[in-house]
Each structure stands twice: as structure tokens, then as C-alpha cells.
Amino acid sequence: MKILITGKRTYGVAQALFEHYPLATFIGRNESGHDLTDMAVQKDVADIALDHDVFINCSALWRFNQTLLLQAVFQTCWEEKHPIHIINISSTVERVTKRRISNYGHDKEALKNQSHEYSLIGVWNEDAVVKCSYVSFGTMPTPNAMEQHPNRKKIELYEVANYIKWLVDQPKHLHVHELSVDPVQSNVS
């Protein structure tokens, strides 16, 4: 199985995925020189995805570029009838509807909506070959979260990678549309 992952294999979720998939292709500005916020590069990534079975879209791109990258990969694979499982990694912040100061929550909400649309296309069309899953995680131990929420319990990156691996390992005849995981904040185990 050939896997394409956005992000740097030595940082964050991509690093945790590297533990499961050391032979995966990692792509991004810091990894391969590809600026994933550039629309021409997004098209290049979509073309590269045609040589892979799984595309894990896990870079926390801003200005809706993660959603635009999803669109490019889905559309290219759909048009070329290339079977692929696209897994979009997001944040549970998309559920927050009050007191949004930045566009980050709206960004992730757009990714969720686009994922859902593509997910249904992949399930209900007879000639569908592209599967699309959306996975959102609560607070992870990123530098930003550590600074903004030092006392909040966080989901460990190895746990995030395990959930993503679980999605990758699902049987071909089943489809997981969405998975949302938050660390419990109480002291109850």
C-alpha cells in the first residue's frame, strides 16, 4: 500500500504517522519543498496522489488551503477513476460556534463540509472509487496548544496516529465517514 502524507516526518502528526508508515511519501514545504498553499502545487500533489492508495491530508494549512488541497486531490482522482482513500485530519474546534476570533474554526468547518460531501459521493455512486474520511481531534500537544492551554489535557500524537491507522486498515467494503476524538478533561478514568 502506497501512502502520501502532507507534513514533515519529524514534526507533529506526520511524525507520529512516520512511526507506522516509514515508507510513506511525505510532502510539504519543509519536507519536499512543495508549498501546499500554492494552487499550482496543489494540482501537482493531486497528480502525485494518482500513484498512491491513501492520501492523508494532515497539514494544518490556513486560509482554507487544506480544503482546496482536498478538492484538488479528490477531483483529480475522481476524474482519473483512481481508487484512493483520502483521510482529512482536522480539529474539533469546528464544533465551536461562539466567540470565534480567528478563521481557524471556519477553516476546519469548511474541510468537514467538503469531506462529508465527497464521502457521500464515494458511497452512493455505483462507479465510485474514491473514499473520503474526516477525522477531528481535540487538543493535541502542539506548541500553540501548550502555550494557549497549558493545563488542558491533550491527546497524545501516538494515539492520533493509531486512530488514523485504524481508518487506513478498514475493509474496502466499509467506509468510515467521520471520527471525532477529544481527550476527557475530568480526572475520572
Side-chain angles (χ1 to χ4, degrees):
M1 177 181 322
K2 290 184 74 177
I3 299 176
L4 177 62
I5 302 171
T6 61
K8 187 177 178 182
R9 73 182 78 211
T10 59
Y11 181 78
V13 173
Q15 181 178 12
L17 287 170
F18 179 70
E19 298 297 319
H20 287 292
Y21 306 112
L23 299 178
T25 302
F26 288 82
I27 196 163
R29 185 172 20 107
N30 294 322
E31 183 68 32
S32 61
H34 292 86
D35 179 0
L36 301 176
T37 65
D38 181 307
M39 292 190 95
V41 172
Q42 292 170 1
K43 177 61 178 137
D44 290 344
V45 172
D47 290 339
I48 293 168
L50 291 171
D51 192 38
H52 293 81
D53 306 300
V54 176
F55 172 61
I56 302 175
N57 186 11
C58 74
S59 288
L61 302 172
W62 62 310
R63 294 186 177 167
F64 301 92
N65 281 295
Q66 191 175 11
T67 303
L68 294 171
L69 181 58
L70 161 62
Q71 180 181 23
V73 171
F74 183 91
Q75 188 171 13
T76 298
C77 291
W78 181 265
E79 289 170 357
E80 296 294 324
K81 299 190 181 330
H82 174 69
I84 194 166
H85 186 181
I86 300 169
I87 300 172
N88 296 295
I89 311 306
S90 190
S91 167
T92 57
V93 73
E94 45 78 5
R95 298 179 310 201
V96 178
T97 59
K98 296 180 180 179
R99 296 185 294 276
R100 286 187 178 167
I101 296 172
S102 75
N103 274 337
Y104 184 72
H106 297 294
D107 220 337
K108 298 307 174 187
E109 188 175 22
L111 180 64
K112 178 180 180 176
N113 290 338
Q114 193 77 4
S115 293
H116 284 175
E117 183 174 332
Y118 292 157
S119 179
L120 292 175
I121 290 170
V123 170
W124 291 107
N125 289 344
E126 289 181 19
D127 57 349
V129 293
V130 180
K131 289 169 55 172
C132 187
S133 300
Y134 175 83
V135 189
S136 59
F137 295 100
T139 309
M140 292 187 265
T142 62
N144 192 33
M146 299 300 272
E147 181 181 315
Q148 290 182 0
H149 311 288
N151 298 323
R152 186 180 290 175
K153 293 182 182 171
K154 295 153 186 78
I155 186 168
E156 295 298 328
L157 293 177
Y158 77 87
E159 294 173 305
V160 169
N162 287 342
Y163 279 109
I164 297 166
K165 183 179 183 322
W166 177 80
L167 273 174
V168 169
D169 293 342
Q170 289 304 296
K172 298 282 185 209
H173 71 284
L174 297 175
H175 180 59
V176 178
H177 300 270
E178 179 180 354
L179 182 64
S180 185
V181 183
D182 278 302
V184 176
Q185 297 301 308
S186 71
N187 290 325
V188 179
S189 302

